[in-house]
Amino acid sequence: KIITKDDWYFKSHFLNNPIFPGTLQTEAMLQSIIIILNVKNKFAKKKYMIPKININLYSSIKGEGKLKISSKIISNRRGAIEAISNIQFNKKNVSEGKFKFFCPSDLIIK
């Protein structure tokens, strides 16, 4: 994603110090993970619960530049999914997260 000074979030977050907010960074990471899950037909159009999120925000995203989101599924055991994601802005790491998902329809209850 190319970030420009005219993007809506700059106009509505900290008027004297406009930034790309951490909540949107978290949402971007989550959405990129869901895209990966939906690309795999096995997980397409399923509902997920997200019981645990660990986010680290290292620096603010200000001004114009290139935003790159990378995500990876690190484990999937019977509907319990763990994933990691990170965001770079102008080739600098600005945030990362580790997420746990549950797909209730895939859980095996004994």
Side-chain angles (χ1 to χ4, degrees):
K1 163 114 177 97
I2 301 299
I3 304 290
T4 69
K5 64 180 180 171
D6 296 326
D7 289 339
W8 69 270
Y9 35 81
F10 287 133
K11 296 174 185 173
S12 57
H13 291 88
F14 306 112
L15 296 178
N16 295 324
N17 187 21
I19 65 167
F20 185 99
T23 54
L24 288 180
Q25 292 178 54
T26 302
E27 182 67 22
M29 288 187 272
L30 283 167
Q31 286 186 23
S32 69
I33 293 166
I34 294 299
I35 289 169
I36 293 168
L37 291 172
N38 283 327
V39 165
K40 298 175 184 264
N41 291 332
K42 177 179 174 181
F43 297 104
K45 298 182 181 177
K46 292 196 176 189
K47 294 183 180 180
Y48 301 95
M49 295 186 315
I50 307 168
K52 189 169 185 180
I53 296 174
N54 290 321
I55 301 293
N56 293 310
L57 303 171
Y58 300 119
S59 64
S60 298
I61 297 175
K62 298 179 181 183
E64 298 185 335
K66 184 177 179 183
L67 190 75
K68 180 181 176 186
I69 305 163
S70 301
S71 299
K72 181 179 179 181
I73 307 302
I74 56 174
S75 72
N76 176 10
R77 293 183 195 100
R78 297 180 301 201
I81 301 161
E82 285 189 71
I84 55 173
S85 188
N86 78 320
I87 296 179
Q88 291 182 339
F89 182 63
N90 294 332
K91 298 183 180 182
K92 178 183 174 189
N93 285 330
V94 292
S95 58
E96 67 181 7
K98 187 171 184 180
F99 305 85
K100 290 189 179 183
F101 295 81
F102 290 105
C103 185
S105 61
D106 288 348
L107 289 175
I108 298 172
I109 310 290
K110 291 185 180 183

